[in-house]
Amino acid sequence: MTGVVGELDAAGITGNRLRADYVYCRALHARHGRTYYTATRVLPPGRRPAVHALYGFARWVDDIVDEPPPGTTAAALHERLDAVEAGLALALSGGAAADPALRALADTARRYRLPDDYFTAFMASMRMDLTVTYYTDLAHLRSYMYGSAAVIGLQVLPVLGTVVPREEAAPHAAALGEAFQLTNFLRDVAEDLARGRVYLPADVLAEHGVDRGLLERCRRARAADPRVRRAVAAMVEVNEDFYRRARPGIAMLSPVARPCVATAFRLYRAILEEIRAADHDVWSTRHRVSDTRKAVAAVPALARSLLARSVPRPRGPERGAHLWRTES
């Protein structure tokens, strides 16, 4: 597969500092988003750097919120996000930001004409993580997931390109972002609880006789309670509904992008299969897709992507994508 230099060349990214900024985001993606990073390797080289920049920025901000140095106060975290937002506004307006993730993000936003509103919504959700410790119902949770997940799908959509008007594909892209995040919430219940947050809706938990105290006992014992298993099972079905809503959007993507998204779709849903196979125990282990299974999914997808790239190229650009010449 094409290495980082080939990806940057294919994307037309020039300038040593900007190229280094994209390399920084690529490393963040590879380290923290292994499942989606595997799927991204199936994309044409010229489209990968933008995905790395979008993911790298999101991961960078998320780490500020989720992995602060010991002893960091809530006030200090708010100040840090204030600084990020100021740098983001500066970068998006064409100014010189200090952080590599911001510089790569701003370059991608300009290349693909991404609305500033997407990033405003994302930052609003990151701020929610500093104050909101539970969600009353799915609607409440989705108000958070719009900024933290749905807009990620909307950001990536122009990079992938579509064969239909973008507004037709947008709801499916947003649903896929939510589907991926809800899968993460189910897998990471114990990890999130250790940070003081519960992302499973309170009304679903209550329906199955689960409260925060019971969740804490499960976390300490690293063992599932039957009531918690039933609540997790109910949310797995909710998660499946998001995947069902997202699936039609794959066929709306550029042919060269479909194998990437189909691979990510398959690998993330496989995490739900692992949770089911464990009888909805999310406490004794962190469910993940094996490297072997990732390879089994990625190799045929790469073949499909190469085949799609080999067909005669249209004379004009696809909706929302760079000209085809950038992907050679």
Side-chain angles (χ1 to χ4, degrees):
M1 294 185 183
T2 304
V4 60
V5 172
E7 293 175 3
L8 296 170
D9 289 343
I13 296 167
T14 59
N16 290 338
R17 189 174 77 163
L18 185 59
R19 287 167 73 93
D21 295 338
Y22 275 96
V23 172
Y24 170 80
C25 290
R26 185 182 192 262
L28 282 175
H29 194 179
R31 185 165 67 250
H32 293 289
R34 292 187 294 271
T35 297
Y36 191 47
Y37 181 80
T38 298
T40 304
R41 305 303 298 149
V42 179
L43 279 176
R47 298 195 192 187
R48 295 175 201 163
V51 176
H52 296 325
L54 293 169
Y55 184 93
F57 166 74
R59 183 74 256 179
W60 175 64
V61 179
D62 197 55
D63 281 351
I64 290 172
V65 174
D66 284 350
E67 306 292 344
T72 303
T73 65
L77 284 176
H78 279 288
E79 289 177 5
R80 184 73 180 97
L81 289 187
D82 287 343
V84 170
E85 286 194 298
L88 177 62
L90 177 66
L92 292 175
S93 65
D99 297 285
L102 288 175
R103 292 193 296 264
L105 176 78
D107 183 69
T108 291
R110 284 192 291 273
R111 286 170 181 265
Y112 291 96
R113 298 187 293 278
L114 301 178
D116 290 0
D117 288 352
Y118 289 167
F119 306 108
T120 301
F122 173 76
M123 292 303 300
S125 287
M126 292 303 96
R127 285 191 181 278
M128 289 175 71
D129 273 334
L130 300 184
T131 57
V132 181
T133 59
Y134 75 99
Y135 293 86
T136 56
D137 52 28
L138 186 60
H140 188 197
L141 180 62
R142 289 191 71 189
S143 70
Y144 169 81
M145 290 170 64
Y146 173 74
S148 62
V151 296
I152 306 299
L154 296 173
Q155 290 168 15
V156 173
L157 190 59
V159 179
L160 301 178
T162 61
V163 294
V164 299
R166 194 184 304 169
E167 59 270 19
E168 184 178 340
H172 304 290
L176 189 58
E178 291 180 287
F180 288 168
Q181 184 164 69
L182 192 50
T183 298
N184 286 339
F185 288 161
L186 286 163
R187 179 191 61 191
D188 297 335
V189 174
E191 184 178 324
D192 291 329
L193 191 60
R195 295 187 176 113
R197 305 182 205 131
V198 178
Y199 291 107
L200 304 186
D203 62 341
V204 174
L205 295 176
E207 183 180 346
H208 296 278
V210 179
D211 59 15
R212 197 184 194 96
L214 180 55
L215 294 178
E216 290 285 4
R217 290 196 293 276
C218 289
R219 184 177 70 86
R220 288 193 296 270
R222 297 190 63 184
D225 178 279
R227 292 164 290 180
V228 179
R229 290 182 194 269
R230 289 192 290 270
V232 170
M235 287 307 300
V236 166
E237 294 312 307
V238 171
N239 202 166
E240 288 284 16
D241 185 56
F242 281 104
Y243 281 110
R244 281 190 289 271
R245 281 186 266 168
R247 186 190 291 272
I250 297 175
M252 299 177 184
L253 297 173
S254 157
V256 296
R258 289 173 201 160
C260 166
V261 178
T263 299
F265 185 101
R266 189 176 304 113
L267 291 176
Y268 264 92
R269 278 198 70 240
I271 296 172
L272 291 187
E273 294 169 14
E274 295 293 328
I275 292 173
R276 282 199 188 95
D279 192 18
H280 304 95
D281 173 12
V282 293
W283 308 97
S284 60
T285 188
R286 188 176 190 267
H287 297 288
R288 59 183 293 273
V289 180
S290 69
D291 291 340
T292 299
R293 189 165 184 176
K294 288 177 185 176
V296 168
V299 169
L302 177 60
R304 291 194 298 274
S305 179
L306 292 171
L307 179 62
R309 290 181 230 174
S310 71
V311 301
R313 298 177 178 182
R315 294 181 181 177
E318 296 173 15
R319 295 180 177 93
H322 276 325
L323 294 177
W324 283 78
R325 62 177 172 79
T326 65
E327 299 164 8
S328 58

